């Protein structure tokens, strides 16, 4: 367990939520609902070689599909 704690990513410190019905709560809920609308369906962008490999494979398959369509029609 001690080794696991060392290798985990550090988390942001959590802040307590405002009391329900207060103006701070209303502002908090409004801000987060707007963020949810803007970010709906979007995952966090991840960077790394695995994503580039996946993109390369998809592009190659699309290119081969286009060539096959042209050759067989």
């Amino acid at each position: 367990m001690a080794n696991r704690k060392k290798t985990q990513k550090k988390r942001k410190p959590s802040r307590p939520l405002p009391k329900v019905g207060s103006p701070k709560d209303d502002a908090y809920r409004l801000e987060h609902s707007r963020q949810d609308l803007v970010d709906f369906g979007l995952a966090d962008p991840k960077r790394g070689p695995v994503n580039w490999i996946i993109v390369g494979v998809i592009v190659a398959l699309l290119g081969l599909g286009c060539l096959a369509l042209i050759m067989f029609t």
Side-chain angles (χ1 to χ4, degrees):
M1 182 105 170
N3 286 339
R4 183 170 170 236
K5 285 185 179 180
K6 290 178 185 176
T7 58
Q8 283 182 340
K9 289 183 179 180
K10 293 184 179 180
R11 296 182 181 176
K12 293 180 182 178
S14 61
R15 292 182 296 172
L17 294 174
K19 288 188 177 182
V20 175
S22 67
K24 286 185 179 181
D25 180 49
D26 293 338
Y28 175 84
R29 290 179 54 170
L30 182 64
E31 177 186 348
H32 283 274
S33 66
R34 286 181 179 166
Q35 286 177 355
D36 290 341
L37 285 175
V38 171
D39 297 336
F40 179 72
L42 299 177
D44 291 334
K46 295 181 173 134
R47 300 171 196 260
V50 174
N51 287 339
W52 287 109
I53 292 171
I54 293 171
V55 168
V57 168
I58 291 172
V59 168
L61 288 174
L62 286 173
L64 288 173
C66 289
L67 285 175
L69 186 64
I70 291 170
M71 289 176 67
F72 294 118
T73 55

